[in-house]
């Protein structure tokens, strides 16, 4: 699955992973992400409906950098400092799309209280 799917569709006890007290998102990867998974989760949380089907969401918010540049308001988000100029917003949107479309496998380690994202780079 892709990272954006893992962050919006995998739940534990009917709660999204970032909402679980005591659980941490742990990326297991060789090539680093551009952004922290928690920041990407908060971006997705503002653009997609958690647990919904693909046809219920505007997937352009995770697949189309130009759409993101033109339609997402970066003000008040963790990305605001990266998006001061139009060129910076375009670069930022490309990095968001690159991260969210990386392929992952998901492991929930109950003993360690970790939501492990195993990237298949």
């Amino acid at each position: 699955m892709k990272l954006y799917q893992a962050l919006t569709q995998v739940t534990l006890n009917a709660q999204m992973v970032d909402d679980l007290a005591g659980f941490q998102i742990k990326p297991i990867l060789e090539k680093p992400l551009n952004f922290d998974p928690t920041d990407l989760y908060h971006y997705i949380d503002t653009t997609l409906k958690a647990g919904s089907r693909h046809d219920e969401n505007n997937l352009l918010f995770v697949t189309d950098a130009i759409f993101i540049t033109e339609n997402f308001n970066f003000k008040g988000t963790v990305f605001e400092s990266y998006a001061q100029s139009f060129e910076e917003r375009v670069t930022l949107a490309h990095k968001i799309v690159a991260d969210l479309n990386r392929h992952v496998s998901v492991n929930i380690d109950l003993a360690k209280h970790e939501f492990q994202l195993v990237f298949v780079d």
Side-chain angles (χ1 to χ4, degrees):
M1 78 178 26
K2 293 187 178 186
L3 178 58
Y4 77 86
Q5 294 168 318
L7 294 174
T8 59
Q9 296 175 359
V10 178
T11 61
L12 182 63
N13 298 328
Q15 286 188 295
M16 299 306 296
V17 70
D18 205 57
D19 297 332
L20 288 168
F23 266 77
Q24 300 220 346
I25 298 174
K26 179 182 180 183
I28 300 171
L29 45 78
E30 291 181 25
K31 178 184 165 194
L33 291 164
N34 293 296
F35 303 103
D36 184 85
T38 299
D39 294 339
L40 292 168
Y41 174 84
H42 291 299
Y43 165 78
I44 287 174
D45 197 38
T46 64
T47 59
L48 303 179
K49 290 183 263 178
S52 61
R53 298 184 320 265
H54 287 306
D55 62 343
E56 296 174 322
N57 274 313
N58 189 346
L59 294 183
L60 293 176
F61 279 112
V62 295
T63 61
D64 187 332
I66 298 304
F67 181 85
I68 294 168
T69 302
E70 294 174 347
N71 294 283
F72 184 72
N73 183 2
F74 293 102
K75 292 192 186 315
T77 70
V78 296
F79 300 114
E80 183 174 8
S81 64
Y82 302 107
Q84 298 302 308
S85 70
F86 177 77
E87 291 79 14
E88 289 173 333
R89 287 192 302 277
V90 170
T91 299
L92 172 61
H94 278 284
K95 288 179 178 181
I96 289 171
V97 169
D99 280 354
L100 291 177
N101 285 279
R102 286 182 60 184
H103 287 88
V104 299
S105 179
V106 177
N107 182 47
I108 299 175
D109 188 324
L110 296 175
K112 294 181 181 178
H113 288 222
E114 289 178 345
F115 178 73
Q116 299 169 348
L117 299 169
V118 184
F119 286 82
V120 286
D121 294 322

